[in-house]
Amino acid sequence: MKLTVIGATGRVGQHVVSGLLERKVGPVTALVRDPAKAERLFGDAAGLTIRPGHLDDPRELSEALSGTQALFIAMGSIGDEAVLQRIMINAASRVDSIEQVTRLSVLNASRDSRGINQRGHYSIDRFAESTGVPYSTIRPTIFSASMLSAAGEIRASRTWTGLADSGRVALIDHRDVAEAGVRVLADRALWNSHHALTGPELMTWPEALGLLSAEIGERVTFQTIPARDLLEGMIGRGIPAGMAELLIAREWAILAGENDYATDVFAQITGHEPRPVTEFLRDFRDEFI
Ligand SMILES: NC(=O)c1ccc[n+]([C@@H]2O[C@H](COP(=O)([O-])OP(=O)(O)OC[C@H]3O[C@@H](n4cnc5c(N)ncnc54)[C@H](OP(=O)(O)O)[C@@H]3O)[C@@H](O)[C@H]2O)c1
């Protein structure tokens, strides 16, 4: 089976590419805007073609996707990335060889979620349905790697400033998200469905910081401030306004309990348990010290 990955240089996409190659699912094309970055990540891996492209050009996309049977898309749900995802899905729906588009979405993707990300992904799903393209998503909960966004603050002050001091999440490792994506692409029985993925253990942000404290041997605490101050602080640090709003809304969704459940879908798909948060923290501990 010939595969194409878009978002191949991102956090999840890069592990999807390497997982597809390791499992020899088929030849993989990474369609990227920055081929130098892709070459740094993948070298000259056997079975991989790095193809530079303009992802907003439908004709270029059609040419690039011609002959591909399965396409994986791992990009953001708001702003330009949301526009690009629609252009790609539309282009894929017109390519005869495409048998499946699998997209990285999010847990609770729905019209009514408090999360901007969830509503954004829902809207892309609606668009995909309208094109008639054969379509599936993986819908992971919040990544353990989200804690890396606080690494600078944690290194400087041993605190993490947010809103959600309650509300649990079964954080999932982004490498597990990618593995689930690879399994879906490789197994036609998993096509044309939505796969809700979580990690193994529900916890609050303060509890996750308790695990980090144990890992690095120093106490890290969660502190809350008014939402307006958090938003302005993020924008002041250079986070684009749309992403800052998305992150604030993510906290509201957590506080509302939207993520307070775990699924066994990852184990069903892969045949093994997802990584615990402690494994992520051990592997990435240097980022926090
Ligand atoms: N973080 C979480 O906790 C979480 C939880 C569940 C779901 N998700 C979902 O995961 C997705 C993000 O995945 P990720 O963390 O793997 O993303 P990421 O690391 O930000 O990667 C995004 C990819 O898209 C490419 N890209 C972005 N803008 C582009 C543009 N204008 N033109 C061409 N390429 C562009 C990037 O290319 P470059 O490498 O060249 O920049 C990169 O390859 C989002 O949809 C999010 O909703 C996240």
Side-chain angles (χ1 to χ4, degrees), residues 147 154 157-160 203-222 277-278 280-282 284-285 288-289:
M147 295 172 79
I154 291 170
S157 63
R158 295 288 181 248
T159 57
W160 180 7
M203 66 187 73
T204 62
W205 285 140
E207 287 164 350
L209 291 183
L211 297 177
L212 176 61
S213 304
E215 176 59 43
I216 66 174
E218 285 191 53
R219 186 155 180 263
V220 182
T221 53
F222 191 81
V277 174
T278 45
F280 170 82
L281 293 172
R282 193 174 62 232
F284 288 86
R285 75 186 301 275
F288 299 101
I289 55 180

Side-chain angles (χ1 to χ4, degrees), residues 69-101:
Q69 286 152 289
L71 167 65
F72 191 84
I73 305 174
M75 290 181 80
S77 65
I78 60 165
D80 286 348
E81 288 174 77
V83 176
L84 291 175
Q85 290 213 50
R86 286 173 173 79
I87 295 172
M88 288 163 202
I89 291 166
N90 200 35
S93 73
R94 291 154 195 252
V95 173
D96 289 343
S97 60
I98 296 254
E99 296 177 45
Q100 188 73 179
V101 174

Side-chain angles (χ1 to χ4, degrees), residues 6-13 32-34 37 55 74-77 80-81 84-85 103-107 117 121 139-144 146 246 250:
I6 301 182
T9 48
R11 177 172 277 152
V12 172
V32 299
R33 64 171 164 183
D34 183 351
K37 181 176 181 184
L55 302 179
M75 290 181 80
S77 65
D80 286 348
E81 288 174 77
L84 291 175
Q85 290 213 50
R103 210 173 63 74
L104 170 58
S105 174
V106 68
L107 194 71
N117 196 28
H121 279 296
R139 295 183 165 175
T141 190
I142 296 168
F143 302 165
S144 307
S146 295
L246 181 151
R250 185 178 76 183

